[in-house]
Amino acid sequence: MLFSPYHQLFKAALCACTVFSPSFLASVHAQDKNFVAISASDSLSDIVRKAAHVVPSPRQFNWQRQELTAFLHFGVNTFTDREWGDGTEPETVFNPTALDADQWIRELKAAGFKCAILTCKHHDGFCLWPSAYTEHSVRRSPWKNGMGDVVREVSDACQRHGMSFGVYLSPWDRNSQLYGTDAYNDYFVSQLTELLTQYGKVSEVWFDGACGEGPNGKKQVYDFVRWYEVIRRLQPDAVIAVMGPDVRWVGTETGRGREMEWSVVPKDNLDQDAIAQNSQKEVLTQPVGDMMGHDLGSRTVIEKAKALVWYPAEIDVSIRPGWFYHEQENSKVKAPRELMDIYFSSVGMNGVLLLNVPPDKEGRLSAADVESLRGFRQLYDATFASNLLAGASVRCGASSGKFLVDGDYDTSISPVMQDGKAVFYFKLKRQATFNVLSVQEDIRKGQRVEQFFLEVKGEDGRWRKVAEGSTVGYKRLLKFPMLTAREVRLTILQSRDVPAVAEVGLYALQE
């Protein structure tokens, strides 16, 4: 078992668990940051110890705590019934008859979503705001006689309802004559600057890696690092996803993360000299390497790394088969139960769910989509409204672990490991019936748990294992057959360093 240097300060403590105050932790972890260089002389133990102290930046932490974000795919494709436009669509096709951005945001917020990301420009190049740099925009559409601005309406609605606002700006532009030339990067920066300076606070900027031919038959070499620098300067709190340095794409569009989802992964195109010279300064590079494999951060993987970064997964999926609205898909909207399953396989696998909910031709969320969102929220509330462990007596060694069930993520327990393990005992006031385990680490202190399991005590006095997992991270949810018990215990079997466990919960999900 690996121990951090400061662990020895507490080894002689009388209790077997330590509760850290925020101010103390701030001083202890002042040296922790969201990247670290690996030296050629580092042993595997050294690398694992370093990995345990890679932590999210404040913007990454705030992003992770949102849990639920929404994508709003809307544009000319909505009216041409296509998924990818070719850039030749006349601006006149864009004409929502009853656009109501307030309805979009109101329904999303009621369903528990914390951020809405609008497709301000998709691959067709059509801009949902009156950009000064192209005629291919709402300015030339009949909607509001060319005086409309969808980006403004969505950003204003987000502000009214207390939701975060994000922008998607497609790097691939099939309309711009500049695409495929050096001048296109200037054009892109100009449009990016419009979005980041005219619409208030932006919490997420979303790029994909789409790179096809433009009208001149050429492909573009994107100047990603320049774009990142613009975002850091104009919206320093915004995370940059998923072709960006803050948030990575999980690798599928199924709404499912990995059973072992590490937020600390290799980053081998970081300049080691630059890290050494600017140890506290961010080094911006575009994503490279395998970010879609089954295992991105185990000991086997990080042993070969040149550097490690905090690079968490955003897990995207559409509520419909397509990303834009298609009337023929109204009967194929994902049901509330499926959305709940997706929550378990995304947020419950240490990710953030990005659910696409596309407005229709009128400019509203369809009745089928709204019904599904509302049903999902009802299921969520019925399941997670009350932690069955609340009020239970909790012990880890000789000490109380009440902070694990206080409903406050900002309090955590760091146990003294015994024989490389930590065991938490929970005794409920009375028997309860449950089939869901929730475990959370305080990721501000790193992601450290590598293996854990849950046991219940039967009427015969024997302990029986009912669930097990590998990584935890911000949140891990495990489902198992419904059972009834009064005593349970959670064992952390392997960890990269002393973990900070923030919350543990038991819940009943009705099947």
Side-chain angles (χ1 to χ4, degrees), residues 138-291:
V138 290
R139 191 196 307 276
R140 296 187 63 184
S141 77
W143 177 60
K144 292 193 172 182
N145 296 317
M147 301 300 292
D149 186 338
V150 182
V151 180
R152 174 73 60 202
E153 299 207 13
V154 175
S155 63
D156 286 353
C158 285
Q159 290 181 31
R160 282 194 299 273
H161 291 281
M163 277 186 66
S164 297
F165 172 61
V167 298
Y168 165 95
L169 189 63
S170 171
W172 187 18
D173 190 321
R174 305 181 74 181
N175 175 267
S176 174
Q177 297 296 323
L178 297 175
Y179 191 86
T181 71
D182 291 341
Y184 178 75
N185 282 309
D186 295 332
Y187 172 78
F188 191 90
V189 165
S190 295
Q191 291 196 322
L192 183 61
T193 300
E194 287 181 317
L195 293 175
L196 300 183
T197 58
Q198 298 178 13
Y199 298 97
K201 185 175 179 62
V202 174
S203 67
E204 184 164 348
V205 180
W206 212 98
F207 303 128
D208 54 29
C211 184
E213 294 182 356
N216 59 11
K218 296 181 180 180
K219 290 187 177 183
Q220 183 69 37
V221 177
Y222 300 138
D223 194 351
F224 280 113
V225 173
R226 179 184 174 193
W227 303 350
Y228 303 159
E229 291 171 345
V230 170
I231 298 165
R232 288 287 193 259
R233 177 169 53 85
L234 298 177
Q235 293 282 350
D237 295 331
V239 297
I240 309 173
V242 293
M243 281 298 295
D246 298 316
V247 174
R248 61 179 163 84
W249 182 41
V250 73
T252 71
E253 295 179 346
T254 63
R256 184 172 182 83
R258 298 167 181 80
E259 293 291 338
M260 181 175 62
E261 191 69 75
W262 284 105
S263 295
V264 179
V265 298
K267 179 72 169 175
D268 290 344
N269 67 335
L270 283 177
D271 187 312
Q272 306 301 300
D273 292 335
I275 292 177
Q277 295 171 12
N278 303 282
S279 60
Q280 298 301 320
K281 184 179 179 181
E282 181 180 30
V283 181
L284 294 169
T285 62
Q286 70 185 74
V288 297
D290 175 23
M291 288 289 107

Side-chain angles (χ1 to χ4, degrees), residues 324-391:
F324 285 88
Y325 175 84
H326 307 288
E327 186 176 1
Q328 66 271 24
E329 293 180 354
N330 283 349
S331 62
K332 300 177 181 179
V333 174
K334 290 178 174 60
R337 175 65 60 179
E338 186 173 0
L339 293 182
M340 180 60 103
D341 289 342
I342 288 171
Y343 178 83
F344 271 76
S345 64
S346 56
V347 177
M349 288 184 175
N350 188 38
V352 167
L353 173 60
L354 177 60
L355 179 69
N356 178 63
V357 187
D360 62 18
K361 290 182 179 182
E362 290 186 343
R364 295 177 58 84
L365 301 186
S366 75
D369 295 30
V370 169
E371 182 181 1
S372 186
L373 287 173
R374 291 177 178 178
F376 161 73
R377 190 63 199 185
Q378 291 173 357
L379 276 175
Y380 180 94
D381 288 342
T383 302
F384 295 109
S386 178
N387 182 359
L388 297 173
L389 288 178

Side-chain angles (χ1 to χ4, degrees), residues 6 82 98 119 129 197 209 233 246 293 358 383 387 402 409 413 425 429 443 477 498 506:
Y6 61 84
R82 302 174 70 181
T119 56
W129 79 101
T197 58
R233 177 169 53 85
D246 298 316
T383 302
N387 182 359
K402 64 179 181 179
Y409 182 87
I413 297 286
Y425 295 88
K429 294 181 178 179
I443 57 174
L477 296 173
V498 180
L506 291 177

Side-chain angles (χ1 to χ4, degrees), residues 91-107:
E91 294 83 13
T92 53
V93 304
F94 183 83
N95 191 21
T97 55
L99 191 145
D100 187 354
D102 198 81
Q103 183 241 9
W104 307 356
I105 304 306
R106 187 174 64 249
E107 292 293 347

